[in-house]
Amino acid sequence: MDTRPPTSLLRLLVCLWQCSSVQPSYIIDSIGLTLLPSATVPSGTAVTLKCRIIVSRYRNFSLTYDFAFTRDNVLLHSTTSHEETAEYQLAPARAADSGSYECRVTVGNKSKSSFSQELDVQGLQVPTLNISKSTLYDSEEFQAVCNAPDERGNLVFQFHERDSSGETRLLKQTATSGTSSQTMLVLRKVGDSVLFCHYEIALVSGNRRSNQSNEIHVLVRGLYITPIMNVLYTLPNIYEGDILEVVCKVVNPPKGVEVFLTKDGQILKRAMVSLNHRLRAQEGDSGELVCKAQWGNVQKETYTTITVKSLFSQPRLIMQPITIFEGDKFKVTCSVTILVPERINNETMHFSIFKDNVQISSSATYSSVAQPGLNGNYTCRATAPSLTPGHNFQKDSPVMVVQAKIPVSRPTLAVVGGTLVLGQPFRLLCHSSSGTMPITYTLLGPDRAPESQVVRSPGERAVFSTTAVYRSSDISSLLCQAQNTRAPVNGSGEMLLSSTTIIEPVSKPVLTLLPSSGHVAEGGALTLICSVNKGTPPYSFSWHHSETLNTLHSQTEEQMKASLIISAVKPEDRGGYYCVCSNPARLSKQSRTVQVGVTMASWKKALIAIMCTLLLLVLILALVFRRRRRRQLSVKSAGTKVERLSLTQAEVNQAANVTPGIMGKSVWSEHTSGSESDDQASERAADRPRPQHPEMQSDPHGGVSLQDDAQTGSVEYAQLNHDLGQPGFHGNVLEDGNDEVEECGDTMVAVEPRA
């Protein structure tokens, strides 16, 4: 049996696999927007916006399109479709639909917009005007409605009036988001008038105005409800206490008229058609009375001004003295001025004095001694009988505040920070512990102009910037005055001496040396003493070497001097030294620089002296040996009876070998190794060439001949030095002509000249 799948099934699976493996591919070629029937239409026309997309794609894939219609970049409508065309209708189109339209289509992750198309909807709907009544009184409110029901958008309505003379004026303007405007209007001119309205719509391209609405004729009649007002009183002048009667009424009013009597915005009385109001005149009743008549929303007014004269003035309190301090006597007096003596008798006037609304006196005066308990608000009340039985006039004075001042206490002086450094500026505080503000503080002192400060609140302080003082006694001469209207109180600067830490800067330090000569032997001790002659302790001393940047030593002392000991002086310790001193004034001062010399140690001098002595002994031995050898040569010369004396080479070598030396070595020989023998040294000497002296001649027997005895010593000395490779005396012996000079340390030793 064949178990293989059918060929058609295999083809179907292969096709499904290939189709699923291929990704959709497409390109938006263009977007087109069409306005139908046209881009310019009259208002009320149905307009269709048709959007079409053209797409290029791979094979015949099905795509989904998202259409979005906008006007002036504001979204109007959106839809999703598998079709390549979408529509949006404006039915009917109005002026508010005018603008710039676009269509944007989104396919997957791709989007494209059409070109803008301008739609112009021409014409606005003619509005209609309706009013609540066409016959009305002047100043009477009525309702008006302007309506354009078919329009859309933000509309601004305007209501106009045209009178019989043809003059037109704007009554009111309203803005609304709807299609109509309802408002209340008032006509104030009596006669015939014509009312109409229109509206404006705001578009991106600009405002458009509608045509005028229908006109409505109205008749405005005069409303004669202006009230009349009379003020009745018996005398020509109105005085306080007089009885006044006020009449306010409307003649031949329409039904429903109300009248009101008001003063300063307050309703005194209200009635229908007319009213009567009686009142007793008071000093504060002077002013304007208003009589108002109201019918519906129509008002008419009448004004009358009245003046009420006072019989006596308002009481007044006077205190003597004007300014008082605690402990001072004071007197309060209440007084008035009689303005109408024929009505008010001074003998019948009664006075009362109050403190904080509590009566403290039943007369026109009050006396006491100022103290904190009497501080407060004082008033005076004057009462006088009226001509009308049972009525009295009563008036209160304005409030007078009595506040006894506290005398300023003796001021105290204090240095800000509590520390004063002589020679440096400082700040001085002047303060009184008690006293009523304001307080004037004045700082006085010798050789300075007075300086004042006013302290007005408890948180303030009088702080003076003061120039430097150089002596403690100058501080006590400062003086601070405090004053609050009385005689000033003085505070002396002597209190500063006990309450202030006074710091005197140090003087310039002096550096002295021990030994005082300033010359110290190497290895010896050197003492550096730094001292000052004034200043406040503690003192900070430091020593410095001018050749280095580091501080040698520093220390703090209560005494005016301190010392630094260098126990073992070294050659590098020579040079300049100085010291620096400071104290709590934080002002460092430096001494002058002192030079220190370091001489050689005594044991070194002794060693040099010993070496010089030994060298001198060697030179003396050498001279003695040379003279002895000279005598021997002289004896030999006399015994041979020959004119020339011959000296063999062996004898010369023997004479060189017996030359005195130091520590087993010849002073004229080269320094050879201590392990060499005398024979080895002689052999090296024999191997070296021997230069000939100008006066020396070779002997046939191998010797050296000297021409005369007088030159024997010199020839021998010269030949020995030639054999040793020393043209002269080196080291500490110098050759100068016929003399020999030895330098030993600082001493020059003369050697006897050659014969």
Side-chain angles (χ1 to χ4, degrees), residues 34-42 44-50 88-94 97 101 119-121:
T34 305
L35 303 179
L36 299 175
S38 66
T40 302
V41 295
T45 305
V47 177
T48 301
L49 282 69
K50 187 175 182 179
Y88 175 66
Q89 288 189 344
L90 303 173
R94 297 297 179 185
D97 296 323
Y101 286 83
L119 175 63
D120 184 13
V121 180

Side-chain angles (χ1 to χ4, degrees), residues 138-198:
D138 65 302
S139 302
E140 180 183 359
E141 283 188 336
F142 63 96
Q143 181 177 292
V145 179
C146 189
N147 188 23
D150 295 334
E151 292 296 339
R152 292 190 297 271
N154 296 324
L155 305 181
V156 177
F157 291 90
Q158 293 182 343
F159 297 87
H160 295 267
E161 175 195 12
R162 186 173 65 247
D163 58 20
S164 56
S165 64
E167 182 181 356
T168 301
R169 65 185 183 92
L170 176 65
L171 296 177
K172 186 176 288 189
Q173 177 175 293
T174 61
T176 178
S177 59
T179 59
S180 65
S181 175
Q182 177 178 315
T183 185
M184 302 300 293
L185 300 178
V186 174
L187 300 179
R188 302 185 184 278
K189 190 173 183 180
V190 176
D192 293 332
S193 295
V194 175
L195 301 180
F196 61 91
C197 70
H198 62 76

Side-chain angles (χ1 to χ4, degrees), residues 325 408-409 411 432 436 438-442 453-455 481-489:
F325 287 84
V408 66
S409 62
S432 294
T436 303
I439 301 175
T440 301
Y441 294 94
T442 304
Q453 292 186 19
V454 180
V455 174
Q481 289 183 348
Q483 184 177 12
N484 58 352
T485 72
R486 274 193 171 180
V489 181

Side-chain angles (χ1 to χ4, degrees), residues 733-747:
V733 180
L734 304 176
E735 183 177 8
D736 184 12
N738 294 327
D739 296 332
E740 293 177 356
V741 180
E742 177 190 0
E743 182 182 2
C744 182
D746 295 335
T747 306

Side-chain angles (χ1 to χ4, degrees), residues 469-492:
V469 295
Y470 298 91
R471 295 176 300 178
S472 299
S473 58
D474 294 339
I475 301 174
S476 60
S477 61
L478 295 174
L479 185 67
C480 178
Q481 289 183 348
Q483 184 177 12
N484 58 352
T485 72
R486 274 193 171 180
V489 181
N490 297 330
S492 174

